[in-house]
Amino acid sequence: MADWFIQQSHQTDITITPKKLQKLLYYAYAWGLVFLNETSDDLRNKLFDGHFEAWVHGPVDAAVYQEYKKYGYQPITEPIVNTINIDDKNVEDVLSQVWSVYSRFEADELEALTHHEDPWIKARQGLDPLTSTNVRLNDEIIFNFYGSKLNQNG
């Protein structure tokens, strides 16, 4: 999924840093849970196998972090060798919607947004703001939080 977002950035004037990539992936994962599952009782349908942890700067998938950390706070310039085609229309729709809504924000704005949302807040409960942790965000809390947002706007 990271390659899909990087490809989009190469096709537009929107740059992606590792932090922004993390937040776009998180929102894709979160909205994927909402759009691909009926209830929080059975969350087996996911866009990808993400494991988001409640890091100081917002949700982070540690495996993706390791892959792109060499860029630091700089834009990811890694070329995409092959065009990324998503075979599943539902997955493509979620990715496109996330790109449409969230790509216009800077990484720090996306970080601030996640810091005001229940999944990250609850995962960091009891921790000082600068304390490192690898506590995972809970899929059920993610589904319920974003599902309630969808219902508010629906």
Side-chain angles (χ1 to χ4, degrees), residues 2-17:
D3 284 348
W4 189 91
F5 285 115
I6 294 167
Q7 177 179 289
Q8 298 309 303
S9 75
H10 290 337
Q11 295 172 355
T12 64
D13 289 332
I14 297 172
T15 59
I16 292 186
T17 61

Side-chain angles (χ1 to χ4, degrees), residues 4-17 20-21 24 74-77 96 98-107 109-110:
W4 189 91
F5 285 115
I6 294 167
Q7 177 179 289
Q8 298 309 303
S9 75
H10 290 337
Q11 295 172 355
T12 64
D13 289 332
I14 297 172
T15 59
I16 292 186
T17 61
K20 184 170 183 172
L21 177 62
L24 291 171
Q74 301 305 311
I76 297 171
T77 56
S96 294
V98 167
W99 180 257
S100 175
V101 171
Y102 295 101
S103 67
R104 67 177 187 246
F105 295 104
E106 296 298 326
E109 293 174 307
L110 293 171

Side-chain angles (χ1 to χ4, degrees), residues 103-136:
S103 67
R104 67 177 187 246
F105 295 104
E106 296 298 326
D108 290 342
E109 293 174 307
L110 293 171
E111 174 185 339
L113 192 59
T114 63
H115 283 200
H116 289 92
E117 297 174 339
D118 284 353
W120 183 83
I121 292 169
K122 288 182 178 183
R124 288 196 59 86
Q125 205 157 22
L127 296 173
D128 291 327
L130 298 178
T131 299
S132 295
T133 185
N134 61 353
V135 172
R136 283 191 183 173

